[in-house]
Amino acid sequence: KDRPAELGRREYDNKGKTIGVMLRLTKPLHNTGKIVEQDSGFCVFEGIAAQHEVGVYGDALIKKRRYWPKHVPGDEIDRAMANCEIGAVKSLK
């Protein structure tokens, strides 16, 4: 709706709005193996997986609001960080 019809569809539009934007913004980095640090608004599992498929590795901050984002093992994270001090950092595989 924001794009004139005569311009046609943008590349990766078939992946959805957020994932399409993620892939278009990282296109110059495709197949480089570089890591892209992303805001929590781009913490979309399907988008990070799509970037991985084109050779870009996404890293996003996860913010818990009321619920953990979809596909994030929130209970496991809570258990791992239960006895940590503020500012402690851990990485889960």
Side-chain angles (χ1 to χ4, degrees):
K1 72 182 184 187
D2 298 324
R3 184 173 170 88
E6 54 271 5
L7 292 178
R9 294 177 58 93
R10 288 179 289 209
E11 189 174 19
Y12 306 116
D13 268 357
N14 61 324
K15 303 268 187 187
K17 284 185 178 183
T18 303
I19 298 169
V21 167
M22 292 170 73
L23 291 171
R24 282 191 298 277
L25 287 173
T26 59
K27 187 172 181 179
L29 301 175
H30 289 185
N31 300 309
T32 63
K34 297 213 179 216
I35 299 170
V36 178
E37 181 71 31
Q38 301 166 135
D39 184 70
S40 62
F42 294 101
C43 184
V44 178
F45 175 77
E46 292 85 357
I48 293 174
Q51 286 178 324
H52 187 270
E53 289 174 9
V54 296
V56 176
Y57 301 98
D59 180 31
L61 175 67
I62 300 173
K63 286 185 184 175
K64 178 185 176 191
R65 290 196 169 79
R66 189 169 188 180
Y67 303 102
W68 284 100
K70 192 173 167 182
H71 304 298
V72 172
D75 293 335
E76 186 178 341
I77 292 170
D78 286 341
R79 277 192 303 278
M81 299 299 287
N83 296 320
C84 294
E85 293 186 31
I86 294 176
V89 178
K90 287 189 177 184
S91 179
L92 300 173
K93 288 185 178 183

